[in-house]
Amino acid sequence: MREDVQNAVNRVDQHRLWQRHMEMARIGAIPGNGVNRAAFSREDIAARKLLISWARARNFTVAMDAIGNLFIRRAGTDPHAAPVMTGSHIDSQPRGGRFDGIYGVLAGLEALEAIEQAGVKTRHPVELVAWSNEEGGRFPPCTMGSAVYTGARALSDFLEVKDNEGIALKDALAQTLAATPAAEKRELNAPAAAYIEAHIEQGPLLEQEGKVIGVVTAIQGLRWFNVEVFGETAHAGTTPLGARKDALREAIAVINALHELTRDASDTLRFTIGRMLVAPNSPNSVPSHVMFSVDVRHPDPATIARVGEAIESAVRNAAKRCSVKVTPTLHDDPCAFDAAVVDCVERAAQALKLAQRRMPSGASHDAMYMARVCPTGMIFVPCEGGISHNEAENARPEDLAAGARVLTAALLELADR
Ligand code: HGY
Ligand code: MN
Ligand code: MN
Protein backbone atom coordinates (compact mmCIF):
# COMPACT_ATOMS: atom_id res chain seq x y z
CA MET A 1 0.00 0.00 0.00
CA ARG A 2 1.36 3.46 -0.93
CA GLU A 3 2.87 5.22 2.06
CA ASP A 4 0.51 8.22 1.89
CA VAL A 5 -2.50 5.89 1.66
CA GLN A 6 -1.24 3.88 4.62
CA ASN A 7 -0.77 7.14 6.50
CA ALA A 8 -4.39 8.12 5.86
CA VAL A 9 -5.64 4.64 6.77
CA ASN A 10 -3.72 4.87 10.03
CA ARG A 11 -5.54 8.11 10.83
CA VAL A 12 -8.94 6.38 10.94
CA ASP A 13 -9.89 6.82 14.58
CA GLN A 14 -12.01 3.96 15.99
CA HIS A 15 -12.88 5.89 19.13
CA ARG A 16 -13.99 9.03 17.26
CA LEU A 17 -16.07 6.90 14.87
CA TRP A 18 -17.79 5.04 17.70
CA GLN A 19 -18.41 8.19 19.75
CA ARG A 20 -20.07 9.84 16.75
CA HIS A 21 -22.37 6.84 16.36
CA MET A 22 -23.36 7.16 19.99
CA GLU A 23 -23.91 10.91 19.64
CA MET A 24 -26.07 10.39 16.55
CA ALA A 25 -27.96 7.58 18.34
CA ARG A 26 -29.14 10.10 20.93
CA ILE A 27 -31.09 11.87 18.15
CA GLY A 28 -34.41 10.07 17.91
CA ALA A 29 -33.40 7.53 20.58
CA ILE A 30 -36.13 5.00 21.48
CA PRO A 31 -36.14 2.33 24.22
CA GLY A 32 -34.03 -0.76 23.57
CA ASN A 33 -31.06 1.14 22.10
CA GLY A 34 -32.90 1.97 18.91
CA VAL A 35 -33.59 5.13 16.94
CA ASN A 36 -36.60 6.58 15.16
CA ARG A 37 -35.33 9.22 12.73
CA ALA A 38 -37.95 9.51 9.98
CA ALA A 39 -37.06 11.34 6.78
CA PHE A 40 -37.58 15.11 6.93
CA SER A 41 -38.51 14.92 10.62
CA ARG A 42 -37.26 17.06 13.50
CA GLU A 43 -34.82 14.26 14.29
CA ASP A 44 -33.56 14.12 10.70
CA ILE A 45 -32.94 17.89 10.78
CA ALA A 46 -31.07 17.64 14.10
CA ALA A 47 -28.86 14.87 12.77
CA ARG A 48 -28.13 16.86 9.61
CA LYS A 49 -27.09 19.86 11.69
CA LEU A 50 -24.76 17.71 13.80
CA LEU A 51 -23.16 16.21 10.68
CA ILE A 52 -22.69 19.68 9.16
CA SER A 53 -21.06 20.93 12.39
CA TRP A 54 -18.44 18.15 12.13
CA ALA A 55 -17.88 18.89 8.45
CA ARG A 56 -17.52 22.63 9.03
CA ALA A 57 -14.95 21.96 11.78
CA ARG A 58 -12.74 20.49 9.04
CA ASN A 59 -13.53 23.28 6.54
CA PHE A 60 -15.18 20.83 4.16
CA THR A 61 -17.74 22.50 1.90
CA VAL A 62 -21.44 21.70 2.38
CA ALA A 63 -24.03 21.61 -0.40
CA MET A 64 -27.62 20.42 -0.73
CA ASP A 65 -29.85 19.61 -3.69
CA ALA A 66 -33.59 20.08 -4.23
CA ILE A 67 -34.58 16.90 -2.35
CA GLY A 68 -32.26 17.63 0.55
CA ASN A 69 -29.40 15.26 -0.29
CA LEU A 70 -26.49 16.65 1.73
CA PHE A 71 -23.00 16.79 0.13
CA ILE A 72 -19.79 17.29 2.15
CA ARG A 73 -16.75 17.79 -0.03
CA ARG A 74 -12.98 17.76 0.42
CA ALA A 75 -11.48 19.56 -2.58
CA GLY A 76 -9.19 17.81 -5.07
CA THR A 77 -6.34 19.32 -7.09
CA ASP A 78 -8.41 19.32 -10.28
CA PRO A 79 -11.44 21.60 -9.75
CA HIS A 80 -13.02 20.25 -12.94
CA ALA A 81 -12.82 16.60 -11.92
CA ALA A 82 -16.09 14.95 -10.87
CA PRO A 83 -16.07 13.83 -7.22
CA VAL A 84 -15.33 10.32 -6.02
CA MET A 85 -18.27 9.84 -3.69
CA THR A 86 -19.18 7.83 -0.64
CA GLY A 87 -22.24 7.98 1.60
CA SER A 88 -25.43 6.41 2.87
CA HIS A 89 -28.44 7.70 4.85
CA ILE A 90 -29.33 9.40 8.14
CA ASP A 91 -33.00 8.46 8.22
CA SER A 92 -34.10 5.26 9.95
CA GLN A 93 -36.95 2.84 10.23
CA PRO A 94 -39.54 3.64 12.96
CA ARG A 95 -37.90 0.98 15.14
CA GLY A 96 -34.46 1.31 13.60
CA GLY A 97 -30.99 0.55 14.85
CA ARG A 98 -27.97 2.74 15.64
CA PHE A 99 -25.98 1.67 12.56
CA ASP A 100 -28.22 1.16 9.47
CA GLY A 101 -27.34 4.02 7.12
CA ILE A 102 -25.64 6.27 9.61
CA TYR A 103 -22.59 3.97 9.58
CA GLY A 104 -21.99 4.72 5.89
CA VAL A 105 -22.31 8.45 6.56
CA LEU A 106 -19.95 8.42 9.55
CA ALA A 107 -17.48 6.02 7.90
CA GLY A 108 -17.40 8.42 4.94
CA LEU A 109 -16.79 11.38 7.24
CA GLU A 110 -14.09 9.37 9.00
CA ALA A 111 -12.40 8.69 5.65
CA LEU A 112 -12.53 12.37 4.68
CA GLU A 113 -11.08 13.41 8.05
CA ALA A 114 -8.33 10.78 7.92
CA ILE A 115 -7.36 11.86 4.39
CA GLU A 116 -7.38 15.50 5.54
CA GLN A 117 -5.29 14.76 8.64
CA ALA A 118 -2.81 12.81 6.51
CA GLY A 119 -2.66 15.74 4.08
CA VAL A 120 -3.10 13.46 1.08
CA LYS A 121 -3.75 15.34 -2.14
CA THR A 122 -6.22 13.75 -4.57
CA ARG A 123 -6.95 14.75 -8.16
CA HIS A 124 -10.70 14.21 -7.75
CA PRO A 125 -12.61 15.85 -4.92
CA VAL A 126 -13.71 13.25 -2.35
CA GLU A 127 -17.30 13.79 -1.35
CA LEU A 128 -19.60 12.38 1.31
CA VAL A 129 -23.35 12.33 0.66
CA ALA A 130 -26.16 11.80 3.16
CA TRP A 131 -29.06 10.73 0.95
CA SER A 132 -32.57 11.89 1.79
CA ASN A 133 -35.28 9.37 2.64
CA GLU A 134 -33.45 6.13 1.91
CA GLU A 135 -35.80 4.11 4.11
CA GLY A 136 -39.13 5.21 2.68
CA GLY A 137 -40.80 4.33 5.99
CA ARG A 138 -42.59 7.65 6.38
CA PHE A 139 -42.76 8.64 2.71
CA PRO A 140 -42.61 5.60 0.41
CA PRO A 141 -40.79 4.51 -1.68
CA CYS A 142 -37.30 3.91 -0.36
CA THR A 143 -34.05 5.25 -1.88
CA MET A 144 -35.96 8.35 -2.92
CA GLY A 145 -33.11 10.88 -2.61
CA SER A 146 -30.69 8.93 -4.78
CA ALA A 147 -33.44 8.12 -7.31
CA VAL A 148 -34.09 11.85 -7.78
CA TYR A 149 -30.38 12.79 -7.72
CA THR A 150 -29.56 10.29 -10.50
CA GLY A 151 -32.60 11.24 -12.58
CA ALA A 152 -34.22 7.79 -12.23
CA ARG A 153 -37.31 9.54 -10.82
CA ALA A 154 -38.52 13.16 -10.90
CA LEU A 155 -38.90 15.07 -7.62
CA SER A 156 -42.41 15.99 -8.79
CA ASP A 157 -43.33 12.28 -8.60
CA PHE A 158 -43.05 12.42 -4.81
CA LEU A 159 -44.09 15.89 -3.58
CA GLU A 160 -47.70 14.88 -2.86
CA VAL A 161 -46.85 11.60 -1.10
CA LYS A 162 -48.40 11.72 2.39
CA ASP A 163 -47.29 10.12 5.65
CA ASN A 164 -49.64 8.35 8.09
CA GLU A 165 -50.59 11.73 9.62
CA GLY A 166 -51.51 13.16 6.20
CA ILE A 167 -48.46 15.45 5.99
CA ALA A 168 -47.30 15.90 2.38
CA LEU A 169 -43.65 15.29 1.53
CA LYS A 170 -43.35 18.72 -0.07
CA ASP A 171 -44.14 20.43 3.25
CA ALA A 172 -41.80 18.27 5.33
CA LEU A 173 -39.07 18.72 2.70
CA ALA A 174 -39.52 22.51 2.67
CA GLN A 175 -39.06 22.60 6.45
CA THR A 176 -35.92 20.48 6.21
CA LEU A 177 -34.38 22.63 3.48
CA ALA A 178 -35.20 25.79 5.43
CA ALA A 179 -33.76 24.42 8.66
CA THR A 180 -30.48 23.21 7.20
CA PRO A 181 -27.63 25.66 7.83
CA ALA A 182 -26.68 27.61 4.71
CA ALA A 183 -25.49 25.10 2.22
CA GLU A 184 -24.43 25.69 -1.38
CA LYS A 185 -27.02 24.69 -3.95
CA ARG A 186 -26.22 21.43 -5.74
CA GLU A 187 -27.90 20.66 -9.06
CA LEU A 188 -29.62 17.31 -9.50
CA ASN A 189 -27.89 14.83 -11.84
CA ALA A 190 -24.48 16.31 -10.98
CA PRO A 191 -21.66 14.10 -12.31
CA ALA A 192 -19.89 11.50 -10.13
CA ALA A 193 -16.63 9.74 -10.95
CA ALA A 194 -17.30 6.73 -8.67
CA TYR A 195 -19.27 5.79 -5.57
CA ILE A 196 -18.56 3.38 -2.69
CA GLU A 197 -21.07 2.90 0.14
CA ALA A 198 -20.18 1.35 3.49
CA HIS A 199 -23.05 -0.35 5.33
CA ILE A 200 -23.70 -2.99 7.96
CA GLU A 201 -24.56 -6.31 6.28
CA GLN A 202 -28.06 -6.57 7.80
CA GLY A 203 -27.63 -10.34 7.50
CA PRO A 204 -25.70 -13.06 9.41
CA LEU A 205 -23.14 -14.26 6.83
CA LEU A 206 -20.02 -12.30 7.81
CA GLU A 207 -20.50 -12.97 11.50
CA GLN A 208 -21.16 -16.69 10.88
CA GLU A 209 -18.01 -17.01 8.76
CA GLY A 210 -15.85 -14.87 11.05
CA LYS A 211 -15.26 -12.37 8.25
CA VAL A 212 -14.85 -8.61 8.80
CA ILE A 213 -15.38 -7.21 5.28
CA GLY A 214 -18.09 -7.99 2.72
CA VAL A 215 -17.01 -7.08 -0.81
CA VAL A 216 -20.47 -6.47 -2.21
CA THR A 217 -21.05 -7.55 -5.81
CA ALA A 218 -24.76 -6.90 -6.40
CA ILE A 219 -28.15 -5.88 -4.98
CA GLN A 220 -31.25 -8.00 -5.54
CA GLY A 221 -34.22 -6.64 -7.47
CA LEU A 222 -37.25 -5.21 -5.68
CA ARG A 223 -40.78 -4.08 -6.52
CA TRP A 224 -43.04 -2.06 -4.23
CA PHE A 225 -46.81 -1.56 -4.66
CA ASN A 226 -49.66 0.08 -2.80
CA VAL A 227 -52.81 -2.05 -2.94
CA GLU A 228 -56.19 -0.44 -2.15
CA VAL A 229 -59.50 -2.21 -1.54
CA PHE A 230 -62.68 -0.11 -1.80
CA GLY A 231 -65.79 -1.31 0.06
CA GLU A 232 -68.72 0.37 1.85
CA THR A 233 -68.87 1.30 5.48
CA ALA A 234 -71.96 0.07 7.34
CA HIS A 235 -73.27 -0.68 10.82
CA ALA A 236 -71.53 -3.65 12.47
CA GLY A 237 -74.71 -4.61 14.31
CA THR A 238 -77.41 -4.29 11.72
CA THR A 239 -75.75 -5.12 8.39
CA PRO A 240 -75.99 -8.80 7.36
CA LEU A 241 -72.65 -10.30 6.31
CA GLY A 242 -74.17 -11.25 2.96
CA ALA A 243 -74.95 -7.60 2.26
CA ARG A 244 -71.54 -6.19 3.11
CA LYS A 245 -68.72 -4.84 0.97
CA ASP A 246 -66.17 -5.37 3.71
CA ALA A 247 -62.83 -3.96 2.50
CA LEU A 248 -60.81 -5.62 5.25
CA ARG A 249 -62.30 -9.05 4.72
CA GLU A 250 -61.52 -8.80 1.00
CA ALA A 251 -58.02 -7.43 1.73
CA ILE A 252 -57.34 -10.57 3.75
CA ALA A 253 -58.40 -12.74 0.80
CA VAL A 254 -56.14 -10.67 -1.49
CA ILE A 255 -53.21 -11.01 0.91
CA ASN A 256 -53.69 -14.78 1.08
CA ALA A 257 -53.63 -14.91 -2.72
CA LEU A 258 -50.40 -12.90 -2.78
CA HIS A 259 -48.81 -15.28 -0.27
CA GLU A 260 -49.75 -18.12 -2.64
CA LEU A 261 -48.22 -16.26 -5.59
CA THR A 262 -44.96 -15.66 -3.74
CA ARG A 263 -44.62 -19.10 -2.15
CA ASP A 264 -40.99 -20.27 -2.75
CA ALA A 265 -39.76 -23.68 -1.52
CA SER A 266 -36.16 -22.43 -1.71
CA ASP A 267 -37.05 -19.41 0.51
CA THR A 268 -35.12 -17.08 -1.81
CA LEU A 269 -38.00 -14.78 -2.72
CA ARG A 270 -38.80 -12.07 -0.13
CA PHE A 271 -42.44 -10.92 0.28
CA THR A 272 -43.50 -8.41 2.95
CA ILE A 273 -46.69 -6.54 3.78
CA GLY A 274 -45.41 -4.05 6.34
CA ARG A 275 -47.92 -1.22 6.32
CA MET A 276 -51.72 -1.25 6.43
CA LEU A 277 -54.26 1.55 6.81
CA VAL A 278 -57.92 0.74 7.51
CA ALA A 279 -60.76 3.27 7.30
CA PRO A 280 -62.87 4.31 9.06
CA ASN A 281 -60.86 2.20 11.56
CA SER A 282 -63.69 1.90 14.08
CA PRO A 283 -64.66 -1.32 15.90
CA ASN A 284 -68.35 -1.05 14.97
CA SER A 285 -68.20 0.19 11.37
CA VAL A 286 -67.57 -2.17 8.47
CA PRO A 287 -64.24 -1.15 6.84
CA SER A 288 -64.79 0.82 3.64
CA HIS A 289 -61.16 1.26 2.57
CA VAL A 290 -57.92 -0.62 3.11
CA MET A 291 -54.49 0.35 1.79
CA PHE A 292 -51.56 -2.00 2.28
CA SER A 293 -47.95 -2.05 1.03
CA VAL A 294 -46.31 -4.88 -0.93
CA ASP A 295 -42.52 -5.34 -0.97
CA VAL A 296 -41.27 -8.24 -3.14
CA ARG A 297 -37.61 -9.02 -3.88
CA HIS A 298 -35.48 -11.59 -5.69
CA PRO A 299 -31.90 -11.72 -7.05
CA ASP A 300 -32.94 -13.30 -10.38
CA PRO A 301 -34.13 -10.74 -12.98
CA ALA A 302 -36.61 -13.15 -14.63
CA THR A 303 -38.17 -14.16 -11.30
CA ILE A 304 -38.63 -10.64 -9.96
CA ALA A 305 -40.09 -9.62 -13.33
CA ARG A 306 -42.48 -12.58 -13.42
CA VAL A 307 -43.71 -12.08 -9.85
CA GLY A 308 -43.86 -8.30 -10.19
CA GLU A 309 -45.98 -8.58 -13.33
CA ALA A 310 -48.34 -11.08 -11.66
CA ILE A 311 -49.19 -8.94 -8.60
CA GLU A 312 -52.01 -6.92 -10.14
CA SER A 313 -53.89 -9.87 -11.67
CA ALA A 314 -53.55 -11.85 -8.43
CA VAL A 315 -55.12 -8.93 -6.55
CA ARG A 316 -57.97 -8.50 -9.05
CA ASN A 317 -58.77 -12.23 -9.13
CA ALA A 318 -58.95 -12.46 -5.34
CA ALA A 319 -61.30 -9.51 -4.83
CA LYS A 320 -64.96 -10.58 -5.27
CA ARG A 321 -67.24 -7.82 -3.93
CA CYS A 322 -64.93 -4.83 -3.64
CA SER A 323 -63.08 -2.83 -6.27
CA VAL A 324 -59.29 -2.69 -6.04
CA LYS A 325 -56.43 -0.48 -7.20
CA VAL A 326 -52.79 -1.55 -7.51
CA THR A 327 -50.21 1.29 -7.70
CA PRO A 328 -46.58 0.35 -8.42
CA THR A 329 -44.30 2.66 -6.39
CA LEU A 330 -40.85 1.13 -6.97
CA HIS A 331 -39.36 -0.97 -9.75
CA ASP A 332 -35.66 -1.78 -9.31
CA ASP A 333 -34.13 -4.60 -11.33
CA PRO A 334 -31.22 -6.47 -9.75
CA CYS A 335 -27.97 -4.48 -10.10
CA ALA A 336 -24.40 -5.77 -10.45
CA PHE A 337 -21.60 -3.50 -9.23
CA ASP A 338 -18.69 -2.34 -11.37
CA ALA A 339 -15.99 -5.05 -11.52
CA ALA A 340 -13.13 -2.54 -11.18
CA VAL A 341 -14.64 -1.02 -8.04
CA VAL A 342 -15.38 -4.44 -6.55
CA ASP A 343 -11.75 -5.41 -7.24
CA CYS A 344 -10.54 -2.13 -5.68
CA VAL A 345 -12.52 -2.81 -2.47
CA GLU A 346 -11.24 -6.41 -2.36
CA ARG A 347 -7.61 -5.29 -2.85
CA ALA A 348 -7.95 -2.75 -0.05
CA ALA A 349 -9.32 -5.40 2.32
CA GLN A 350 -6.51 -7.79 1.35
CA ALA A 351 -3.83 -5.11 1.80
CA LEU A 352 -5.18 -4.52 5.30
CA LYS A 353 -5.14 -8.28 5.92
CA LEU A 354 -8.86 -8.33 6.79
CA ALA A 355 -10.84 -11.56 6.39
CA GLN A 356 -13.28 -10.85 3.59
CA ARG A 357 -15.60 -12.44 1.08
CA ARG A 358 -17.57 -11.38 -1.96
CA MET A 359 -21.33 -11.36 -1.48
CA PRO A 360 -24.60 -9.88 -2.82
CA SER A 361 -26.84 -7.54 -0.82
CA GLY A 362 -30.34 -8.63 0.21
CA ALA A 363 -31.16 -5.11 1.37
CA SER A 364 -31.43 -2.26 -1.08
CA HIS A 365 -29.23 0.82 -0.84
CA ASP A 366 -28.66 4.14 -2.59
CA ALA A 367 -25.82 2.37 -4.39
CA MET A 368 -28.61 0.73 -6.46
CA TYR A 369 -29.13 4.07 -8.22
CA MET A 370 -25.55 5.31 -8.20
CA ALA A 371 -24.61 2.09 -10.07
CA ARG A 372 -26.64 3.44 -13.00
CA VAL A 373 -24.60 6.64 -13.31
CA CYS A 374 -21.02 5.78 -12.25
CA PRO A 375 -18.73 2.87 -11.29
CA THR A 376 -20.12 1.77 -7.92
CA GLY A 377 -19.38 -0.69 -5.14
CA MET A 378 -20.17 -1.35 -1.48
CA ILE A 379 -18.39 -2.47 1.66
CA PHE A 380 -20.22 -4.50 4.32
CA VAL A 381 -19.22 -4.97 7.94
CA PRO A 382 -20.85 -7.51 10.27
CA CYS A 383 -23.78 -6.75 12.53
CA GLU A 384 -24.70 -8.89 15.52
CA GLY A 385 -26.85 -11.86 14.54
CA GLY A 386 -27.56 -10.12 11.24
CA ILE A 387 -30.31 -8.19 13.03
CA SER A 388 -31.46 -4.90 11.45
CA HIS A 389 -34.64 -2.79 11.14
CA ASN A 390 -34.89 -3.59 14.84
CA GLU A 391 -33.73 -1.71 17.97
CA ALA A 392 -31.42 -4.62 18.83
CA GLU A 393 -29.22 -3.90 15.78
CA ASN A 394 -25.62 -3.88 16.99
CA ALA A 395 -22.07 -3.75 15.61
CA ARG A 396 -18.53 -3.82 17.02
CA PRO A 397 -16.35 -0.66 17.09
CA GLU A 398 -13.40 -2.55 15.62
CA ASP A 399 -15.46 -3.79 12.67
CA LEU A 400 -16.83 -0.31 11.97
CA ALA A 401 -13.28 1.06 11.99
CA ALA A 402 -12.01 -1.76 9.75
CA GLY A 403 -14.70 -0.90 7.19
CA ALA A 404 -13.74 2.77 7.37
CA ARG A 405 -10.08 1.88 6.72
CA VAL A 406 -11.00 -0.17 3.65
CA LEU A 407 -13.19 2.71 2.48
CA THR A 408 -10.34 5.22 2.96
CA ALA A 409 -7.91 3.13 0.94
CA ALA A 410 -10.43 2.41 -1.83
CA LEU A 411 -11.50 6.06 -2.13
CA LEU A 412 -7.87 7.20 -2.39
CA GLU A 413 -7.20 4.69 -5.15
CA LEU A 414 -10.24 5.89 -7.12
CA ALA A 415 -9.59 9.60 -6.40
CA ASP A 416 -6.27 9.51 -8.14
CA ARG A 417 -7.36 7.86 -11.39
O1 HGY B 1 -35.52 -1.73 2.34
C1 HGY B 1 -34.28 -1.80 2.27
O2 HGY B 1 -33.74 -2.76 1.75
C2 HGY B 1 -33.42 -0.72 2.86
O3 HGY B 1 -33.08 -1.09 4.17
N1 HGY B 1 -34.08 0.55 2.87
MN1 MN C 1 -29.70 1.23 5.04
MN1 MN D 1 -32.69 0.18 6.25
Side-chain angles (χ1 to χ4, degrees):
M1 185 176 277
R2 265 179 23 207
E3 192 185 337
D4 60 342
V5 174
Q6 186 65 62
N7 184 10
V9 164
N10 293 344
R11 300 284 184 142
V12 168
D13 181 332
Q14 175 176 315
H15 178 72
R16 173 172 63 191
L17 181 60
W18 182 259
Q19 284 311 312
R20 284 180 170 163
H21 276 87
M22 295 308 108
E23 203 168 334
M24 277 287 184
R26 283 197 281 277
I27 302 175
I30 56 174
N33 262 339
V35 293
N36 178 10
R37 248 191 334 255
F40 310 129
S41 64
R42 201 178 36 251
E43 295 78 13
D44 187 4
I45 292 169
R48 288 162 177 261
K49 286 181 176 174
L50 180 57
L51 179 65
I52 289 171
S53 70
W54 290 330
R56 288 258 154 79
R58 282 282 179 201
N59 296 319
F60 297 142
T61 54
V62 178
M64 197 162 56
D65 66 16
I67 194 169
N69 294 318
L70 201 50
F71 302 89
I72 291 168
R73 174 175 290 202
R74 178 178 186 265
T77 55
D78 176 354
H80 305 298
V84 166
M85 297 172 74
T86 183
S88 196
H89 58 95
I90 289 177
D91 67 306
S92 80
Q93 285 288 318
R95 288 181 52 191
R98 296 175 293 169
F99 304 96
D100 176 2
I102 195 66
Y103 169 58
V105 173
L106 295 179
L109 180 63
E110 191 59 35
L112 255 62
E113 293 219 36
I115 294 168
E116 180 69 9
Q117 283 175 288
V120 181
K121 292 201 178 316
T122 59
R123 185 170 83 78
H124 292 267
V126 181
E127 186 162 78
L128 164 64
V129 51
W131 299 108
S132 290
N133 193 24
E134 188 280 342
E135 291 291 2
R138 180 186 182 195
F139 297 110
C142 62
T143 53
M144 191 186 278
S146 50
V148 170
Y149 171 84
T150 58
R153 300 293 296 273
L155 177 55
S156 54
D157 288 357
F158 302 125
L159 293 176
E160 298 306 331
V161 172
K162 291 193 173 49
D163 67 9
N164 288 348
E165 277 67 51
I167 296 170
L169 182 143
K170 66 175 186 289
D171 298 326
L173 173 59
Q175 283 174 355
T176 303
L177 297 178
T180 305
E184 291 167 26
K185 189 172 172 356
R186 173 66 59 87
E187 293 308 316
L188 294 175
N189 312 118
Y195 176 78
I196 301 182
E197 178 165 355
H199 206 288
I200 53 168
E201 178 196 341
Q202 299 177 300
L205 223 47
L206 291 175
E207 185 184 58
Q208 283 170 354
E209 295 184 2
K211 301 270 175 32
V212 175
I213 298 294
V215 180
V216 188
T217 54
I219 299 180
Q220 68 176 338
L222 63 163
R223 302 282 183 93
W224 280 21
F225 303 82
N226 282 334
V227 176
E228 294 181 86
V229 182
F230 301 89
E232 275 171 22
T233 190
H235 196 295
T238 56
T239 315
L241 295 188
R244 293 182 182 191
K245 288 188 175 182
D246 181 334
L248 185 52
R249 185 173 182 184
E250 293 256 289
I252 291 165
V254 167
I255 288 169
N256 287 333
L258 290 175
H259 274 291
E260 275 314 302
L261 170 70
T262 55
R263 190 182 296 282
D264 173 10
S266 72
D267 199 3
T268 306
L269 189 139
R270 300 285 180 265
F271 171 71
T272 311
I273 295 176
R275 184 180 186 221
M276 180 177 273
L277 302 175
V278 179
N281 212 19
S282 163
N284 47 359
S285 287
V286 174
S288 57
H289 179 257
V290 171
M291 187 291 286
F292 63 84
S293 61
V294 171
D295 174 332
V296 61
R297 311 193 192 197
H298 199 280
D300 170 51
T303 305
I304 188 72
R306 174 179 58 78
V307 175
E309 300 314 314
I311 294 283
E312 174 142 15
S313 53
V315 170
R316 293 197 176 287
N317 294 338
K320 303 302 179 202
R321 294 183 173 185
C322 296
S323 61
V324 293
K325 183 182 176 191
V326 179
T327 309
T329 57
L330 189 71
H331 177 150
D332 288 340
D333 294 330
C335 97
F337 288 142
D338 177 88
V341 176
V342 173
D343 291 347
C344 169
V345 168
E346 189 172 61
R347 264 199 311 280
Q350 287 165 340
L352 292 168
K353 299 184 178 30
L354 294 166
Q356 37 89 27
R357 61 158 290 163
R358 290 185 175 220
M359 59 192 293
S361 175
S364 189
H365 303 280
D366 295 297
M368 166 72 89
Y369 285 106
M370 287 304 283
R372 301 181 190 181
V373 298
C374 72
T376 292
M378 287 189 74
I379 300 166
F380 275 171
V381 294
C383 59
E384 199 173 301
I387 296 169
S388 186
H389 286 198
N390 180 308
E391 303 89 333
E393 181 185 277
N394 197 17
R396 298 185 327 156
E398 52 272 35
D399 293 341
L400 301 180
R405 292 192 184 96
V406 172
L407 179 64
T408 302
L411 289 173
L412 284 174
E413 179 182 324
L414 296 172
D416 264 348
R417 286 191 180 167

